[in-house]
Amino acid sequence: MANISIAHLENLDPVVLSESELKAVKDACRNELDRTDKRDWDVKAVLKVIDEFVEFCTLLPKPENLLKTRTGQLVTHRTVLDMEPEASLELVNLDPYTAEAKLIRDGKQGEVRIKTRKLDEPLWKGKELENLMSQIKDNMERLEYVRKRSDIEREIMQRQEKWRRQIPDSTRQIPPSEEPPPTYY
């Protein structure tokens, strides 16, 4: 056996070994174990246990091998269809005046619960509320988020008349009436 000097552990600096250095250390350990007296213990069985333990330690931190529950059962990936009812139940069962939101900041996602308090009385009332509602309606029309009902009904009637004119009178099964069909019931 070669002379090997072993430093005390407290004198060793921590080192991260490269792949080739790890392989060299493993090979040296195997060679040393192969040279030991084989009458006392089964070297190959010990090496097999060590290899299996190393493989276990390599596989353990992978996400697909993590245990999600305390039951000891592996939880597989869940589908959206599976999680939707659960999420809707959570939202329905939130305390009153509570909101839940998912936020993304700096690429990290997190959930936030926001608690508000019930307003004692409305912020606007009377003439202030009427002015605010009027401004909102005007802005919605100006920005074309909404249109007046009369404009929409006029447009529908124009389209229907245009379609009626495209159908020849001889093929019409229902005689044309003076009144257009209702736009709502």
Side-chain angles (χ1 to χ4, degrees), residues 88-100 113 115:
S88 65
L89 275 176
E90 281 182 33
L91 290 174
V92 167
N93 292 326
L94 283 176
D95 293 333
Y97 308 105
T98 304
E100 190 170 282
R113 281 205 177 177
K115 285 210 162 255

Side-chain angles (χ1 to χ4, degrees), residues 97 116-124:
Y97 308 105
T116 62
R117 58 184 174 84
K118 182 179 177 182
L119 290 176
D120 297 329
E121 53 184 76
L123 294 176
W124 295 279

